[in-house]
Amino acid sequence: DTGVSQDPRHKITKRGQNVTFRCDPISEHNRLYWYRQTLGQGPEFLTYFQNEAQLEKSRLLSNRFSAERPKGSFSTLEIQRTEQGDSAMYLCASSLEGANSPLHFGNGTRLTVT
Amino acid sequence: GNSVTQMEGPVTLSEEAFLTINCTYTATGYPSLFWYVQYPGEGLQLLLKATKADDKGSNKGFEATYRKETTSFHLEKGSVQVSDSAVYFCALTPYGNNRLAFGKGNQVVVIP
């Protein structure tokens, strides 16, 4: 079990640019989640997948954000036309299916929009 | 809706002191309750969980009891160590799914 890995660890971009983050979940986990965490706050849910199907999206996820999990394994989160308010830590987590299955988190990608 | 409230502010205490971090929740149905910990420079890790009323979750000397009557899940440790310095998050998943809702977190600093 190598855990959930995220790439890159840090991303600095200029306002208006597009960015893409990658998440590799624990291999046997069929659920994958994206969260966003700003300074001093707890993580906020963005979206989640069961296998390749995106089952739920938060109202926080504007139309500039898109997430994919094309083969039910790794996932990408793209932010188009970044804004300074997008600066945050983006966390990926994975879990087995089941209401009590704990989420396993990656170390996150810290995005800074200048 | 489903939400978690943690006590305000960081917690600073001396080594071997008793730690309590308060957590209360609002949820429909019967949520599962969790404490996650984030050590400096690391990702969130599950510390303990409880899935039904009166369950006690425990791990690494930490304990929390699921109190339905007071909608609380307070975290306690009898004797903290410097290595317990971290940010602690209370969280819940609503009945029937495992999408977590987090509190704001509490920074705990243990001084030698």
Side-chain angles (χ1 to χ4, degrees):
Chain A
D1 177 2
T2 57
V4 177
S5 62
Q6 293 187 244
D7 183 69
R9 289 294 301 273
H10 304 275
K11 178 70 177 178
I12 300 173
T13 191
K14 293 185 177 179
R15 189 176 52 187
Q17 298 295 305
N18 299 344
V19 294
T20 300
F21 311 140
R22 178 180 169 121
C23 171
D24 287 90
I26 293 172
S27 57
E28 62 266 29
H29 286 179
N30 60 351
R31 287 193 173 177
L32 186 148
Y33 306 76
W34 286 99
Y35 281 79
R36 180 171 66 190
Q37 186 179 16
T38 54
L39 199 62
Q41 301 295 317
E44 296 173 298
F45 170 78
L46 294 178
T47 187
Y48 94 96
F49 294 82
Q50 180 156 312
N51 301 312
E52 65 276 7
Q54 189 173 17
L55 295 188
E56 190 174 348
K57 291 195 291 187
S58 164
R59 288 172 295 173
L60 293 175
L61 211 65
S62 79
N63 55 13
R64 297 184 297 105
F65 288 67
S66 62
E68 294 182 344
R69 194 183 184 198
K71 297 181 181 178
S73 56
F74 73 92
S75 175
T76 58
L77 177 68
E78 181 184 18
I79 309 174
Q80 295 182 326
R81 304 181 303 281
T82 52
E83 302 173 355
Q84 286 188 322
D86 297 332
S87 296
M89 178 75 85
Y90 290 84
L91 300 172
C92 178
S94 69
S95 77
L96 295 169
E97 192 173 342
N100 297 322
S101 298
L103 272 62
H104 297 257
F105 283 84
N107 286 347
T109 293
R110 180 168 296 284
L111 173 66
T112 302
V113 182
T114 62
Chain B
N2 301 301
S3 66
V4 173
T5 302
Q6 292 183 234
M7 53 193 276
E8 290 291 325
V11 178
T12 302
L13 59 170
S14 299
E15 203 165 22
E16 299 183 1
F18 185 87
L19 170 69
T20 300
I21 305 176
N22 289 341
C23 170
T24 56
Y25 68 90
T26 302
T28 53
Y30 304 95
S32 294
L33 302 174
F34 304 83
W35 278 98
Y36 276 79
V37 60
Q38 191 169 32
Y39 298 104
E42 298 184 16
L44 282 161
Q45 302 173 25
L46 177 65
L47 180 60
L48 54 84
K49 69 176 185 179
T51 58
K52 61 183 188 296
D54 300 325
D55 268 4
K56 178 186 282 187
S58 61
N59 186 25
K60 299 182 181 180
F62 290 89
E63 292 183 340
T65 301
Y66 189 142
R67 301 283 188 203
K68 192 171 189 301
E69 63 277 13
T70 54
T71 61
S72 65
F73 193 55
H74 305 322
L75 182 69
E76 297 181 336
K77 185 173 186 182
S79 176
V80 293
Q81 306 300 312
V82 172
S83 58
D84 293 324
S85 298
V87 182
Y88 293 81
F89 293 93
C90 186
L92 66 81
T93 57
Y95 181 74
N97 76 68
N98 57 350
R99 177 163 73 72
L100 283 163
F102 285 90
K104 290 186 176 182
N106 286 103
Q107 173 89 50
V108 172
V109 176
V110 181
I111 300 169

